[in-house]
């Protein structure tokens, strides 16, 4: 039995100022959780969606005295958006009918991965209708149930990094790779990212290091019995500390060469088809780009993952580009000698085209062949490294 009853209200906090930016309704009882019901009942998609939508309405009507200045986050399955979205449109009306003298809070639907069936085209159509009805849209568990191409296409208001990924961030490189790939796509299309399930200081540090500004979890604020935001504030010891530059040693050391930050480039022949590039990016989820090389190994084209996937995943993208040479979508690579020092490389990045200031740099060896790539995020961290004040 839950300590909170049937439903509870978990705050979502801004990590910069410690204040609540949302309030999620948590289903505390197993009998109200669609995942539990799906495992223990022989139900089809329609039955599961009707059940899920009914619990969503019940969860909204469970609370009273909502703070109308903070969005109310309501959990739903992707199946429900496809099959039972007309019932979801009753959420706000049901609350207004009960509390006619009080304004309803803005509502954001946190859509969870499908348990039965939610084809991407049907999901996009359902989300479009719900948006037109005034609902905000979030994707919950994005790292485990929604592809990056779908996130780019739907451009939700919020994407939540799955609690399981957050738990592995401090000690598992693969979790950080997944999180960074998700963040890169979200930043490219202007989507805010929040971290779920933050439960330890190490996880909070890892979330902040990734640049995620919103989070929730037991470390930050426990769920509440009532939907009040009064008194919610991030504990003082969890607020961000002031950062100061490390003291300069006697006699500045020579700046390190940028080659020390290099990673192996995902490279393909310059005449390769766009579909082969898409497959290469799928095989290398950690890669932010593909470099096209001529027969001598010299870089002739650069394909940024985000821009390439947006082009090929958009309407008719596969039909237009899949069998065409990838160089039709490529840009000139931003190249720099591998012996260049880090600060000069950073100045080179910042002095270029502002729209491309965050592209990877392609390193050239003495024969002007591709010697690897450097992620600009790594370059910034190396060139502007700071320490946290005690």
């Amino acid at each position: 039995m839950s300590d909170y009853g049937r439903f509870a209200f978990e705050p979502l906090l801004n990590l910069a100022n410690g204040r609540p930016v949302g309030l999620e309704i948590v289903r505390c009882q197993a009998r109200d959780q669609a995942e539990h019901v799906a495992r223990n009942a022989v139900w089809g998609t329609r039955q599961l969606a009707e059940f899920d939508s009914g619990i969503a309405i019940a969860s909204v009507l469970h609370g009273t005295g909502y703070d109308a200045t903070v969005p109310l986050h309501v959990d739903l399955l992707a199946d429900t958006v496809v099959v039972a979205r007309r019932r979801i449109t009753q959420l706000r009306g049901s609350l207004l009918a009960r509390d006619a003298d009080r304004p309803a809070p803005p509502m954001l639907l946190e859509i969870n991965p499908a348990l039965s069936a939610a084809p991407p085209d049907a999901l996009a159509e359902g989300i479009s209708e719900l948006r037109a009805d005034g609902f905000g849209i979030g994707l919950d568990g994005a790292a485990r149930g929604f592809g990056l191409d779908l996130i780019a296409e739907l451009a939700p208001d919020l994407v939540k990094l799955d609690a399981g990924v957050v738990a592995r961030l401090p000690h598992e490189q693969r979790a950080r790779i997944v999180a960074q790939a998700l963040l890169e796509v979200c930043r490219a299309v202007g989507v805010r990212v929040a971290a779920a399930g933050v439960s330890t200081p190490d996880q909070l540090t890892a979330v902040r290091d990734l640049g995620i500004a919103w989070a929730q979890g037991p470390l930050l604020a426990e769920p509440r019995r009532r939907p009040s935001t009064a008194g919610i504030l991030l504990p003082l010891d969890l607020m961000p500390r002031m950062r100061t530059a490390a003291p300069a040693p006697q006699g500045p050391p020579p700046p390190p060469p940028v080659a020390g930050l290099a990673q192996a480039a995902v490279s393909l022949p310059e005449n390769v088809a766009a579909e082969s590039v898409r497959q290469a990016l799928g095989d290398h989820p950690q890669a932010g780009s593909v470099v096209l090389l001529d027969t001598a190994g010299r870089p002739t084209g650069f394909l940024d993952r985000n821009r390439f996937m947006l082009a090929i995943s958009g309407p008719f993208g596969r039909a237009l580009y899949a069998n065409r040479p990838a160089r039709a979508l490529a840009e000139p690579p931003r190249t720099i000698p591998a012996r260049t020092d880090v600060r000069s490389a950073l100045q080179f990045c910042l002095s270029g085209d502002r729209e491309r200031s965050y592209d990877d740099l392609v390193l050239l060896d003495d024969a002007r062949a591709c010697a690897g790539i450097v992620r600009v995020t790594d370059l910034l961290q190396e060139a502007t490294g700071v320490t946290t004040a005690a």
Side-chain angles (χ1 to χ4, degrees), residues 85-170:
R85 58 181 174 272
R86 286 184 176 82
R87 195 174 184 192
I88 294 304
T89 60
Q90 301 171 16
L91 281 171
R92 188 181 295 104
S94 299
L95 192 59
L96 287 171
R98 190 195 68 181
D99 302 331
D101 59 332
R102 297 183 61 91
M107 293 186 187
L108 183 141
L109 306 177
E110 289 197 13
I111 301 170
N112 288 263
L115 293 180
S116 179
D121 290 346
L123 180 60
E125 179 183 348
I127 285 175
S128 178
E129 289 185 17
L130 291 170
R131 269 185 167 148
D133 206 53
F135 291 99
I137 299 297
L139 296 183
D140 199 352
R144 62 181 171 86
F146 297 102
L148 298 182
D149 54 341
L150 187 63
I151 293 172
E153 179 183 349
L154 297 178
D157 303 288
L158 181 71
V159 163
K160 275 192 177 177
L161 186 62
D162 183 64
V165 176
V166 172
R168 301 197 307 273
L169 283 177

Side-chain angles (χ1 to χ4, degrees), residues 10-379:
E10 183 178 12
L12 177 67
L13 300 180
N14 183 324
L15 295 179
N17 59 29
R19 299 189 181 280
V21 290
L23 205 59
E24 179 183 0
I25 307 178
V26 180
R27 303 181 186 187
C28 300
Q29 305 296 329
R31 67 174 186 267
D32 291 329
Q33 296 168 9
E35 296 89 342
H36 175 81
V37 171
R39 288 194 299 267
N40 294 280
V42 185
W43 281 4
T45 302
R46 169 69 64 179
Q47 292 169 302
L48 189 63
E50 292 292 343
F51 167 82
D52 187 47
S53 61
I55 298 300
I57 293 173
S59 72
V60 169
L61 293 177
H62 178 79
T64 58
Y66 287 108
D67 182 349
T69 66
V70 176
L72 184 66
H73 293 217
V74 184
D75 288 328
L76 287 175
L77 292 176
D79 319 64
T80 306
V81 173
V82 172
V83 176
R85 58 181 174 272
R86 286 184 176 82
R87 195 174 184 192
I88 294 304
T89 60
Q90 301 171 16
L91 281 171
R92 188 181 295 104
S94 299
L95 192 59
L96 287 171
R98 190 195 68 181
D99 302 331
D101 59 332
R102 297 183 61 91
M107 293 186 187
L108 183 141
L109 306 177
E110 289 197 13
I111 301 170
N112 288 263
L115 293 180
S116 179
D121 290 346
L123 180 60
E125 179 183 348
I127 285 175
S128 178
E129 289 185 17
L130 291 170
R131 269 185 167 148
D133 206 53
F135 291 99
I137 299 297
L139 296 183
D140 199 352
R144 62 181 171 86
F146 297 102
L148 298 182
D149 54 341
L150 187 63
I151 293 172
E153 179 183 349
L154 297 178
D157 303 288
L158 181 71
V159 163
K160 275 192 177 177
L161 186 62
D162 183 64
V165 176
V166 172
R168 301 197 307 273
L169 283 177
H171 55 80
E172 187 176 304
Q173 177 66 18
R174 286 178 295 181
R176 292 192 289 273
I177 290 171
V178 169
Q180 287 167 350
L182 177 66
L183 282 163
E184 287 180 10
V185 171
C186 289
R187 286 166 181 159
V189 294
V191 175
R192 184 180 292 278
V193 177
V198 177
S199 57
T200 68
D202 285 347
Q203 292 173 18
L204 178 59
T205 298
V207 164
R208 280 196 165 117
D209 287 345
L210 286 169
I212 298 175
W214 288 7
Q216 65 185 147
L219 177 71
L220 310 177
E222 292 287 347
R224 299 184 147 208
R225 294 177 182 274
R226 302 178 63 83
S228 169
T229 59
I232 297 177
L233 188 65
L234 193 66
L236 185 61
D237 61 336
L238 299 180
M239 291 290 287
R241 297 183 180 182
M242 295 296 294
R243 292 180 175 263
T244 58
Q250 294 293 327
V258 74
L261 303 176
Q263 303 174 13
V266 177
S267 57
L268 292 170
E270 61 183 351
N271 60 353
V272 72
E275 179 63 17
S276 296
V277 173
R278 188 190 69 80
Q279 292 174 356
L281 289 171
D283 292 339
H284 299 82
Q286 79 286 356
S289 59
V290 168
V291 181
L292 302 181
L293 305 179
D294 64 15
T295 54
R298 294 185 293 262
T300 60
F302 177 87
L303 291 158
D304 174 78
R305 173 188 283 272
N306 296 334
R307 291 194 287 273
F308 176 81
M309 293 304 295
L310 284 173
I312 203 167
S313 302
F316 310 110
R318 294 283 292 279
L320 287 172
Y321 298 116
N323 296 318
R324 295 178 60 189
R327 60 174 175 265
L329 295 171
E331 300 166 301
R334 297 202 305 163
T335 60
I336 196 168
R339 291 178 292 179
T340 306
D341 65 81
V342 168
R343 289 188 178 86
S344 297
L346 182 60
Q347 291 174 352
F348 173 76
C349 288
L350 299 179
S351 65
D353 183 349
R354 289 184 63 187
E355 294 184 358
R356 298 193 60 207
S357 61
Y358 289 100
D359 279 348
D360 301 340
L361 292 180
V362 181
L363 303 187
L364 300 178
D365 61 18
D366 292 338
R368 299 193 62 78
C370 177
I373 62 167
V374 169
R375 306 296 297 271
V376 176
T377 51
D378 294 339
L379 189 60

